[in-house]
Amino acid sequence: RGQTSKGWLNKKDLMPLDEWLRREQEAPQEVNLTPEDINAQLADARRMLENNQVKEALYIYKYLSEQEVPEAMFQYGNLALQRRNEDIDCGQGFVLLEKASDKGYAPAKRTLGFLYIFADNKELLRINDYDRCSYDRNVFKGTRLLYEAVAAGDTTARRLLDELNLRRDEQPADTVPQQEP
């Protein structure tokens, strides 16, 4: 930098610049985000999504997702399933939803429940922008996840369950499978 420094250095403490840069890149970067920092970044990302600034929101969601923040994992993965995040594929997006669900994030439980129950209803998936990927149908698992979301206070999951119960109750008696004696 054109400055003169005075002092003593031990030759053993010196290393070439390229070696120092290599070590710097290899060293894990510890990030200590406070809950306030996380909430502020999530609020910024939500605002960006509302303003159709998807790439900017994805940048925040990706970073927070790597920090294992449930809402960010859900959003980053969900946007991939809805064709709005091309950075990851369907499998990676689904895994992020599962991780967020495992951490107790109710919207992830609701979304997974919906996808498991309606996996074979292509029209409903298309209407809800989930037609990029294919899903395995598992009514038991989907229902369980919806009930968990309801227990966490998710009103949308409650409406989905009510709708499912209405459909089941409205089925004609001759279409309900009968058990043989």
Side-chain angles (χ1 to χ4, degrees), residues 4 11 21 30 48 65 77 83 100-101 113 128 144 155:
T4 303
K11 193 172 186 175
L21 291 172
E30 285 193 34
M48 289 173 184
S65 178
R83 243 184 280 111
S101 172
N128 289 284
R144 182 180 52 80
T155 57

Side-chain angles (χ1 to χ4, degrees), residues 40-99:
Q41 288 185 27
L42 288 171
D44 287 344
R46 280 186 230 112
R47 204 170 15 263
M48 289 173 184
L49 269 184
E50 289 171 5
N51 293 327
N52 207 27
Q53 296 172 304
V54 178
K55 285 189 181 212
E56 294 84 352
L58 285 173
Y59 180 78
I60 294 171
Y61 286 137
K62 179 182 181 183
Y63 173 72
L64 292 176
S65 178
E66 291 167 351
Q67 307 305 313
E68 301 280 320
V69 175
E71 181 180 342
M73 290 188 295
F74 166 72
Q75 289 291 358
Y76 196 66
N78 194 48
L79 289 168
L81 299 180
Q82 292 182 321
R83 243 184 280 111
R84 296 176 71 192
N85 178 2
E86 299 296 327
D87 294 339
I88 59 175
D89 63 25
C90 291
Q92 293 166 312
F94 200 81
V95 166
L96 284 172
L97 260 66
E98 288 177 321
K99 283 182 169 183

Side-chain angles (χ1 to χ4, degrees), residues 161-173:
L161 281 173
D162 290 344
E163 202 173 299
L164 283 171
N165 289 331
L166 279 175
R167 285 184 187 173
R168 188 189 69 217
D169 293 342
E170 290 174 355
Q171 281 185 342

